[in-house]
């Protein structure tokens, strides 16, 4: 097997996760379930390439889906429920401007 630059592949997995709107927690859960490891830094070369191939095969979400996912992550960081967060957003933006 040809040698692979781990840092480049890890960077590419980060990009693919970002493009698909995956959070770090979603990536960690997938890695634990699939490989029994918590981080892509702990994967073997074969596992890392397999993970990258899996990510690249997943559909890319729409811009709206990415924005909603990012908002939901921010709401979690505030320790709000989804309902609290979206009610606040609707209040400050006006309910006719919110797309969910």
């Amino acid at each position: 097997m040809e040698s692979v630059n781990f840092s480049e592949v890890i960077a590419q997995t980060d990009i693919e996760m970002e493009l698909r709107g995956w959070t770090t927690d979603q990536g960690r859960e997938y890695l634990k379930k699939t490989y029994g490891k918590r981080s892509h830094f702990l994967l073997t070369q074969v596992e890392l390439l397999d993970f990258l191939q899996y990510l690249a095969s997943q559909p890319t979400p729409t811009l709206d889906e990415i924005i909603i996912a990012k908002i939901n992550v921010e709401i979690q960081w505030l320790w709000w429920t989804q309902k609290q967060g979206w009610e606040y957003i609707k209040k400050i933006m006006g309910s006719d401007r919110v797309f969910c």
Side-chain angles (χ1 to χ4, degrees):
M1 173 178 274
E2 184 179 322
S3 181
V4 174
N5 184 333
F6 268 133
S7 60
E8 287 178 16
V9 178
I10 287 172
Q12 189 62 41
T13 61
D14 290 340
I15 291 167
E16 294 293 336
M17 285 177 56
E18 180 73 23
L19 286 173
R20 278 141 188 87
W22 281 34
T23 65
T24 302
D25 288 339
Q26 288 172 307
R28 185 176 297 121
E29 279 304 308
Y30 179 83
L31 293 175
K32 284 194 309 192
K33 182 173 59 172
T34 307
Y35 306 106
K37 299 175 182 175
R38 292 180 37 89
S39 170
H40 55 322
F41 293 104
L42 301 174
L43 299 176
T44 66
Q45 181 174 327
V46 171
E47 291 168 337
L48 185 60
L49 292 171
D50 182 62
F51 180 47
L52 178 57
Q53 183 178 15
Y54 172 78
L55 288 170
S57 73
Q58 299 305 298
T60 304
T62 66
L63 181 57
D64 285 352
E65 291 169 332
I66 292 171
I67 291 170
I68 289 169
K70 288 185 179 291
I71 290 170
N72 286 332
V73 168
E74 295 295 328
I75 288 170
Q76 286 177 332
W77 286 342
L78 292 170
W79 293 82
W80 289 355
T81 65
Q82 293 296 312
K83 183 178 179 183
Q84 288 172 313
W86 285 103
E87 284 177 359
Y88 177 77
I89 291 169
K90 287 177 184 177
K91 178 181 169 187
I92 64 167
M93 292 185 71
S95 61
D96 60 331
R97 295 181 60 194
V98 177
F99 46 88
C100 74

